[in-house]
């Protein structure tokens, strides 16, 4: 297939491209052609802007770009960057697909389980409609609406609501590991908030699955089928590292350190990937203990 990818130098993008080479022809949209070349050599084409891209050339568009949501405190300026790094590009892609003489057969566009907002401990799937109105929901709701504009009889749109991606070379674990390696890890708040996670290999596999399964469209939960409370996640990570996890971070400390962004840590969602499982997708790492054991931590 001929694939057009945004966010190709990010955690998920890099892993996906390495899986898809050399079987597919890939072009990446990136502000740094030098970085794309350093990562993938001459195997991947690069463009630095959408102007002039003939989207009709491609069988699929995979949209993974966006300012990391948990890298910095949510100042007004940072919220603007988080939103518009997603919204503006997605709107441009949808417009290109709408206007294409031969639109791609599938538009896979990133979203996040933050779409649901904070939830209690009940398991929720893609049919859940009782969203909590907060910043994470607002980001994702508009993000998804802009992507959905590309839908037509020619193009199906998959909205990939991603959970916490577990990888050894980036993402959430990269931030969590230093204190845990020092024996300074512990549960956050009361530890009952659910963490919906996915191993990076399964994340890439499900993107590949979406390319090939034309019956799948609309929101898709990209999480392992067994979410865990934060206290359990903490316990298993500490055991994997053979370290104690005796220093909880109370809620007031989270709010002091992270401000409003701390809500991502204090509240969660117990998300279930019903549509993927119903379509026959098989997770290589459905269990958190096995997922952590496989990673080179």
């Amino acid at each position: 297939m001929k694939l057009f990818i945004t966010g190709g130098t990010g955690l998920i993008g890099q892993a996906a491209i390495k899986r898809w080479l050399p079987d597919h022809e890939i072009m990446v949209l990136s502000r740094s052609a030098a970085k794309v070349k350093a990562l993938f050599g001459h195997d991947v084409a690069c463009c630095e802007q959408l102007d002039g891209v003939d989207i009709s050339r491609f069988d699929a568009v995979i949209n993974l770009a966006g300012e990391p949501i948990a890298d910095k405190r949510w100042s007004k300026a940072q919220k603007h960057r988080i939103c518009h790094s997603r919204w503006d590009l997605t709107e441009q892609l949808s417009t290109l697909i709408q206007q294409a003489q031969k639109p791609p057969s599938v538009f896979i566009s990133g979203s996040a389980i933050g779409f649901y907002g904070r939830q209690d401990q009940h398991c929720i799937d893609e049919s859940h409609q009782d969203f909590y109105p907060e910043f994470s929901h607002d980001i994702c709701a508009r993000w998804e609406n802009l992507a959905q504009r590309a839908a037509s009889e020619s193009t199906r749109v998959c909205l990939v609501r991603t959970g916490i991606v577990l990888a050894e070379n980036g993402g959430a674990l990269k931030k969590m590991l230093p204190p845990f390696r020092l024996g300074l890890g512990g549960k956050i708040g009361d530890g009952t908030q659910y963490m919906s996670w996915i191993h990076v290999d399964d994340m890439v596999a499900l993107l590949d699955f979406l390319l090939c399964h034309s019956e799948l469209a609309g929101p898709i939960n990209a999480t392992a089928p067994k979410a865990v409370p934060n206290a359990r996640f903490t316990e298993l990570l500490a055991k994997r590292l053979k370290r104690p996890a005796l220093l909880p971070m109370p809620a007031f400390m989270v709010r002091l350190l992270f401000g409003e962004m701390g809500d991502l840590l204090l509240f969660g969602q117990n998300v279930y990937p019903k549509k993927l499982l119903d379509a026959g997708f098989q997770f290589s790492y459905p269990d958190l203990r096995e997922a952590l054991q496989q990673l080179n931590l």
Side-chain angles (χ1 to χ4, degrees):
M1 298 177 72
K2 294 181 180 179
L3 309 178
F4 185 80
I5 302 176
T6 74
T9 60
L11 177 68
I12 299 169
Q14 285 189 47
I17 290 171
K18 288 172 182 175
R19 176 183 176 118
W20 287 329
L21 287 174
D23 298 330
H24 301 298
E25 183 181 323
I26 297 173
M27 176 176 279
V28 170
L29 175 69
S30 174
R31 287 171 294 187
S32 174
K35 185 174 183 180
V36 173
K37 185 177 179 181
L39 286 169
F40 309 114
H42 295 287
D43 296 325
V44 173
C46 178
C47 62
E48 294 182 322
Q49 55 186 14
L50 276 178
D51 291 347
V53 172
D54 180 8
I55 216 75
S56 298
R57 291 180 45 217
F58 299 97
D59 301 302
V61 175
I62 300 102
N63 179 27
L64 304 172
E67 173 84 6
I69 194 169
D71 267 14
K72 301 174 183 177
R73 286 177 72 101
W74 288 348
S75 65
K76 185 176 179 180
Q78 182 62 8
K79 281 186 170 184
H80 185 274
R81 280 191 291 271
I82 288 169
C83 292
H84 287 276
S85 64
R86 289 160 171 78
W87 297 347
D88 296 353
L89 179 57
T90 302
E91 184 172 25
Q92 291 169 18
L93 289 169
S94 287
T95 299
L96 281 177
I97 292 170
Q98 285 176 310
Q99 295 175 347
Q101 287 188 332
K102 181 182 176 294
S105 60
V106 60
F107 180 30
I108 299 174
S109 192
S111 184
I113 58 172
F115 180 90
Y116 300 110
R118 67 188 71 175
Q119 299 289 333
D120 58 23
Q121 298 178 15
H122 297 298
C123 185
I124 58 177
D125 62 27
E126 292 89 349
S127 65
H128 187 78
Q129 295 293 318
D130 187 15
F131 314 124
Y132 188 92
E134 57 187 330
F135 180 56
S136 63
H137 171 73
D138 294 342
I139 301 167
C140 295
R142 180 160 173 76
W143 196 9
E144 292 189 7
N145 285 336
L146 291 166
Q148 194 62 42
R149 292 181 186 178
S152 69
E153 290 184 0
S154 302
T155 304
R156 63 186 169 95
V157 174
C158 297
L159 308 166
V160 185
R161 294 176 180 169
T162 307
I164 300 165
V165 179
L166 302 184
E168 57 204 32
N169 59 339
L173 274 183
K174 186 176 182 180
K175 296 182 178 181
M176 297 173 70
L177 284 174
F180 272 82
R181 285 192 176 119
L182 294 171
L184 302 176
K187 69 181 182 180
I188 297 173
D190 63 12
T192 61
Q193 70 276 26
Y194 266 77
M195 298 176 68
S196 294
W197 58 274
I198 185 169
H199 190 289
V200 66
D201 289 354
D202 282 328
M203 184 69 211
V204 172
L206 75 83
L207 291 175
D208 194 58
F209 192 82
L210 293 177
L211 286 178
C212 306
H213 285 255
S214 58
E215 75 276 16
L216 285 169
I220 310 285
N221 287 337
T223 60
K226 299 178 183 177
V228 296
N230 172 262
R232 178 63 173 161
F233 188 101
T234 297
E235 175 191 353
L236 290 175
L237 180 57
K239 284 183 178 178
R240 171 69 180 84
L241 297 171
K242 298 182 173 61
R243 295 288 188 273
L246 303 175
L247 292 176
M249 183 181 288
F252 81 86
M253 183 65 72
V254 174
R255 296 194 187 284
L256 188 65
L257 289 173
F258 302 108
E260 183 186 354
M261 192 187 78
D263 287 350
L264 294 177
L265 305 175
L266 293 170
F267 303 99
Q269 309 92 358
N270 182 359
V271 176
Y272 184 72
K274 184 177 188 302
K275 288 174 76 169
L276 279 171
L277 293 172
D278 287 351
F281 181 77
Q282 294 186 330
F283 285 84
S284 296
Y285 304 102
D287 181 81
L288 180 59
R289 186 193 300 272
E290 295 171 2
L292 291 173
Q293 197 62 41
Q294 189 276 336
L295 294 170
N296 183 26
L297 302 180

